[in-house]
Amino acid sequence: MGLKEEFEEYAEKAKTLPENTTNDDKLILYGLFKQATVGPVNTSRPGMFNMKEKYKWDAWKAVEGKPKEEAMNDYITKVKQLQEAAAASS
């Protein structure tokens, strides 16, 4: 299985992470996903009245410059870590 296929598989698995997954972890996944699929941030930062979108933008901006393949690998690793943590706590 190639990296892209594995990444897509883990993107699906990320949708089944437990409800108690922290917002910080969700933001890390979001930033890595956007970097892996879109590349560098290509929008302007949302205004102060849209905090949720601003946090998401900041998470994406935090991984700017990371190559797409590295972002995919980091995303897969993070989903695996969250799955293991969820399994250990259930």
Side-chain angles (χ1 to χ4, degrees):
M1 177 184 322
L3 177 60
K4 190 171 185 339
E5 291 78 13
E6 189 178 9
F7 172 76
E8 289 168 357
E9 179 185 327
Y10 277 89
E12 285 303 310
K13 289 180 180 183
K15 295 176 185 174
T16 64
L17 289 170
E19 288 293 316
N20 64 354
T21 302
T22 67
N23 282 337
D24 284 346
D25 284 332
K26 289 176 184 174
L27 286 169
I28 290 167
L29 287 176
Y30 177 84
L32 290 169
F33 182 86
K34 292 295 278 188
Q35 186 68 19
T37 56
V38 179
V41 174
N42 59 3
T43 60
S44 56
R45 190 169 191 243
M48 63 185 220
F49 297 110
N50 195 344
M51 293 306 287
K52 182 179 177 184
E53 293 304 314
K54 193 159 106 176
Y55 288 135
K56 288 167 71 175
W57 190 94
D58 288 347
W60 185 9
K61 184 76 172 171
V63 293
E64 190 173 51
K66 185 181 290 266
K68 285 188 177 189
E69 293 77 18
E70 189 180 333
M72 286 184 189
N73 278 318
D74 289 355
Y75 182 91
I76 291 165
T77 300
K78 186 68 177 173
V79 173
K80 286 178 182 175
Q81 289 171 346
L82 293 171
Q83 285 179 318
E84 288 166 11
S89 67
S90 60

